[in-house]
């Protein structure tokens, strides 16, 4: 069975693509993106635990 690790990060709207791509390059998979405070979103990621 795969074990997962998780991360939660703010996503600044003016740099969303760059932020999400950086997480993807590090092996993180976006699970969901929810509205946050101040007009920025909050991203929830997962990746297989090492």
């Amino acid at each position: 069975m795969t074990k997962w690790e998780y991360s939660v990060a703010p996503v600044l709207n003016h740099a969303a693509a760059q932020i999400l791509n950086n997480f993807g390059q590090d092996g993180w998979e976006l699970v969901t993106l929810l509205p946050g405070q101040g007009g920025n979103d909050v991203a929830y990621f997962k990746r297989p635990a090492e």
Side-chain angles (χ1 to χ4, degrees):
M1 177 186 277
T2 303
K3 294 189 179 203
W4 300 96
E5 63 178 320
Y6 301 92
S7 182
V8 178
V11 177
L12 307 175
N13 290 336
H14 66 276
Q18 180 181 1
I19 292 167
L20 296 174
N21 285 333
N22 286 341
F23 273 93
Q25 288 175 351
D26 289 339
W28 292 101
E29 176 183 343
L30 180 64
V31 176
T32 191
L33 190 63
L34 299 175
Q37 295 180 349
N40 294 315
D41 296 328
V42 179
Y44 293 81
F45 299 93
K46 71 175 185 177
R47 70 179 174 188
E50 297 179 10

